[in-house]
């Protein structure tokens, strides 16, 4: 299926085409003004710069935790492991309360971390940019860790999948 440049892009067609891009599944996390841990499943995550170390994720303006992420000035990105699809689904369904069912570690910056994540980036918000129905949060990485031997949880064409050898 193709769309001509003078036609309006159908949102479903755009979503289907974007589904052809396999992406790692992440949970972004922060805290509310009252100190409650909140998180949400996100697959719009990317590196921006090596020097300084910057990353980004896109946050929907309608997201329940939208105001918390903007107000906190900091966040963590937790890249999920291949076997953490239930964690992804739970944060997608109720990220405001799902942390209460876990025993999260807290980062040096005060961000809640998903236990046993494949990689974690602890960030201070560097910039927020308009991105249509989303905002683009750019974070300056202050601390990170990763498991060099683990495998990521991937999302491709609307479903979870794994890296094949």
């Amino acid at each position: 299926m193709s769309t001509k440049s003078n036609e309006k892009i159908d949102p479903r067609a755009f979503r289907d085409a974007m589904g052809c891009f396999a992406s790692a599944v992440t949970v972004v996390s922060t805290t509310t003004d009252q100190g409650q841990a909140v998180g949400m499943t996100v697959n719009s995550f990317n590196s921006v710069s090596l020097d300084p170390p910057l990353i980004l994720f896109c946050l929907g303006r309608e997201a329940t935790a939208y105001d918390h992420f903007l107000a906190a000035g900091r966040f963590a990105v937790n890249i999920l492991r291949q076997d953490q699809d239930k964690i992804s689904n739970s944060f997608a369904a109720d990220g405001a309360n799902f942390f209460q069912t876990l025993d999260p570690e807290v980062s040096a910056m005060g961000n809640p971390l998903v236990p046993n994540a494949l990689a974690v980036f602890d960030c201070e918000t560097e910039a927020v940019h308009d991105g249509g129905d989303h905002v683009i949060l750019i974070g300056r990485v202050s601390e990170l860790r990763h498991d060099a031997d683990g495998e990521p949880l991937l999302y491709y064409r609307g479903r979870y999948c794994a890296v094949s050898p």
Side-chain angles (χ1 to χ4, degrees):
M1 173 183 198
S2 66
T3 302
K4 296 178 184 173
S5 63
N6 60 348
E7 294 179 19
K8 183 175 180 344
I9 300 293
D10 174 64
R12 180 74 249 174
F14 183 70
R15 189 178 189 112
D16 290 346
M18 289 303 299
C20 294
F21 180 71
S23 59
V25 179
T26 68
V27 168
V28 293
S29 56
T30 194
T31 56
T32 68
D33 290 341
Q34 295 78 33
Q36 178 185 350
V38 294
M40 58 190 294
T41 301
V42 170
N43 69 347
S44 59
F45 162 73
N46 212 341
S47 64
V48 175
S49 168
L50 294 175
D51 187 19
L54 300 174
I55 62 171
L56 70 77
F57 79 94
C58 298
L59 176 64
R61 293 180 188 275
E62 301 297 320
T64 305
Y66 178 84
D67 291 333
H68 301 306
F69 278 94
L70 293 185
R74 58 180 166 71
F75 60 87
V77 176
N78 305 267
I79 299 178
L80 299 185
R81 290 179 184 276
Q82 184 174 304
D83 63 351
Q84 291 182 314
D85 54 317
K86 289 181 180 144
I87 289 175
S88 171
N89 288 336
S90 297
F91 274 107
D94 191 10
N97 294 308
F98 185 65
F99 258 122
Q100 283 42 282
T101 69
L102 300 175
D103 186 20
E105 184 180 334
V106 177
S107 74
M109 293 188 78
N111 293 311
L113 305 177
V114 173
N116 203 31
L118 179 62
V120 173
F121 300 87
D122 200 25
C123 302
E124 180 178 352
T125 302
E126 178 88 0
V128 179
H129 298 283
D130 180 50
D133 60 359
H134 284 64
V135 292
I136 303 162
L137 274 81
I138 297 179
R140 182 180 291 254
V141 179
S142 64
E143 187 176 336
L144 60 86
R145 66 176 181 227
H146 72 284
D147 176 355
D149 297 321
E151 298 290 337
L153 178 62
L154 298 179
Y155 197 70
Y156 176 67
R157 292 196 170 175
R159 64 182 181 273
Y160 297 118
C161 57
V163 175
S164 297

